[in-house]
Amino acid sequence: MNFEELMPLIIIAVILIAVAILFTFIPVMLWISALAAGVKVGIFTLIGMRLRRVVPNRVINPLIKAHKAGLNVKTNQLESHYLAGGNVDRVVNALIAAHRANIELPFERGAAIDLAGRDVLEAVQMSVNPKVIETPFIAGIAMDGIEVKAKARITVRANIDRLVGGAGEDTVIARVGEGVVSTIGSSEAHTKVLENPDSISHNVLNRGLDAGTAFEILSIDIADVDIGKNIGAILQTDQAEADKNIAQAKAEERRAMAVAQEQEMVARVQEMRAKVVEAEADVPLALAEALRSGNLGVMDYMNYKNIDADTDMRDSIGKLSEDNEEHDQK
């Protein structure tokens, strides 16, 4: 087979390759689907999407969906939202749901909510079907010292106007918890809370806790109320224990001071005894000096010794008498 015979086959192959490339680069089937749905999209618009690195079916399919739902959405709006990193299909679904529920939701607001990181479709669904948020047990202490635990169910509806920049569920739960604790704490007795648990929901609901949040609080219902510990009694017991420890510490301090004073007196007695011994040691020296100087005679010295002996004898007899009396008492 020569070159002239192969030429038609080569031309056919080149044409097939060119058509395949053309259909790959230009979504002809998507363009046909849009025309069949009544959406006017130019073939060059689709080529421009390819050049701008936009996946055409992620823009055209939501556009067809919006057109069939009766929404006035432009191709440039969807394409710009896609380029901004948004979820075009979710925004269009939210717009359709809002339109069916007669909720005013412009495309710009829906796109802003989506770009803010919130699920705009879930927000629209929550506006139609309110959501119930259940809090954990929130503990508060009444004025009589009894702990009361309450669990609340918060029925909220999404506020589309405040979805951008509004606080989330955690803020709502925290505010409701604060209101429950405050209401229980202002009750004179825990029995009043048990008798009228709806007073908690009324007081909390009247505070406007949904201000600045992405939700509108419809109702707050107390699901369960339990009695906790007697915190007042526990605090009084702890205070009594602390007072007892303080009193024991002060008594120990006084005892230590008394012991120290006693030891000081013992030391002073020993000191005085030492002075007496020292003075007694000077007596023989004074007697010797008196004898040498003639101020004391021998008879005077003998009389002094007799008196000293009599004194020692009387002391001995007195000690024996005291010992006998103690023995008789025993």
Side-chain angles (χ1 to χ4, degrees):
M1 185 176 290
N2 53 21
F3 181 76
E4 293 179 356
E5 294 176 351
L6 292 175
M7 182 59 67
L9 296 177
I10 295 173
I11 293 174
I12 293 173
V14 171
I15 293 173
L16 292 176
I17 293 173
V19 170
I21 294 174
L22 180 63
F23 275 83
T24 302
F25 188 76
I26 303 174
V28 178
M29 297 303 299
L30 186 63
W31 175 64
I32 295 173
S33 299
L35 292 179
V39 178
K40 296 181 180 180
V41 179
I43 191 68
F44 293 102
T45 302
L46 299 177
I47 296 174
M49 290 182 185
R50 289 289 193 187
L51 295 176
R52 289 186 292 271
R53 297 183 179 180
V54 176
V55 180
N57 59 352
R58 294 190 179 180
V59 175
I60 301 302
N61 288 334
L63 182 63
I64 295 172
K65 191 188 304 182
H67 179 75
K68 289 297 183 180
L71 299 178
N72 186 17
V73 180
K74 305 298 182 183
T75 307
N76 291 333
Q77 291 177 319
L78 300 180
E79 188 176 353
S80 62
H81 185 64
Y82 177 85
L83 291 173
N87 191 324
V88 177
D89 190 63
R90 184 165 55 192
V91 172
V92 170
N93 290 336
L95 294 177
I96 295 172
H99 180 69
R100 293 288 187 267
N102 199 19
I103 298 175
E104 184 179 357
L105 179 63
F107 177 81
E108 290 76 11
R109 185 179 298 277
I113 294 172
D114 184 62
L115 293 177
R118 295 186 182 273
D119 193 336
V120 61
L121 179 58
E122 182 182 357
V124 173
Q125 292 173 349
M126 194 182 300
S127 298
V128 178
N129 185 19
K131 180 180 180 181
V132 177
I133 303 173
E134 184 170 337
T135 66
F137 272 107
I138 303 169
I141 302 174
M143 290 185 181
D144 58 357
I146 305 299
E147 182 185 30
V148 180
K149 299 179 179 179
K151 180 185 290 187
R153 287 193 177 96
I154 312 165
T155 305
V156 296
R157 180 172 58 194
N159 192 329
I160 296 178
D161 294 333
R162 293 202 301 254
L163 278 176
V164 178
E169 294 183 9
D170 294 337
T171 301
V172 175
I173 294 175
R175 290 182 180 179
V176 171
E178 181 183 355
V180 171
V181 172
S182 177
T183 303
I184 295 175
S186 61
S187 300
E188 296 181 357
H190 69 285
T191 53
K192 292 187 177 181
V193 180
L194 297 178
E195 292 173 359
N196 299 309
D198 56 338
S199 62
I200 300 177
S201 59
H202 291 162
N203 293 334
V204 175
L205 191 60
N206 293 332
R207 295 187 176 208
L209 302 179
D210 54 2
T213 66
F215 304 99
E216 178 185 354
I217 298 178
L218 300 178
S219 66
I220 299 176
D221 303 311
I222 303 301
D224 191 10
V225 178
D226 290 337
I227 298 298
K229 300 179 181 178
N230 191 339
I231 303 298
I234 294 175
L235 293 177
Q236 291 178 358
T237 303
D238 293 341
Q239 184 63 44
E241 184 69 21
D243 294 341
K244 185 190 74 171
N245 293 334
I246 293 174
Q248 289 178 348
K250 290 182 178 179
E252 182 65 24
E253 181 182 0
R254 290 194 296 269
R255 189 193 68 81
M257 291 179 64
V259 171
Q261 188 176 5
E262 180 184 2
Q263 294 299 321
E264 183 180 355
M265 296 303 295
V266 170
R268 291 184 64 184
V269 169
Q270 294 297 328
E271 182 181 358
M272 297 305 294
R273 287 181 178 176
K275 290 181 179 181
V276 170
V277 172
E278 184 180 359
E280 291 176 349
D282 292 339
V283 172
L285 296 177
L287 291 174
E289 181 63 26
L291 289 172
R292 282 194 297 270
S293 62
N295 294 327
L296 181 66
V298 176
M299 294 304 296
D300 295 330
Y301 178 73
M302 294 302 295
N303 291 330
Y304 164 74
K305 295 296 290 181
N306 290 331
I307 293 171
D308 189 20
D310 291 340
T311 303
D312 292 340
M313 182 179 64
R314 290 189 181 94
D315 291 340
S316 300
I317 293 172
K319 290 181 179 179
L320 289 174
S321 298
E322 291 178 358
D323 293 340
N324 290 332
E325 289 179 358
E326 291 179 357
H327 181 71
D328 293 339
Q329 290 177 358
K330 292 180 178 179

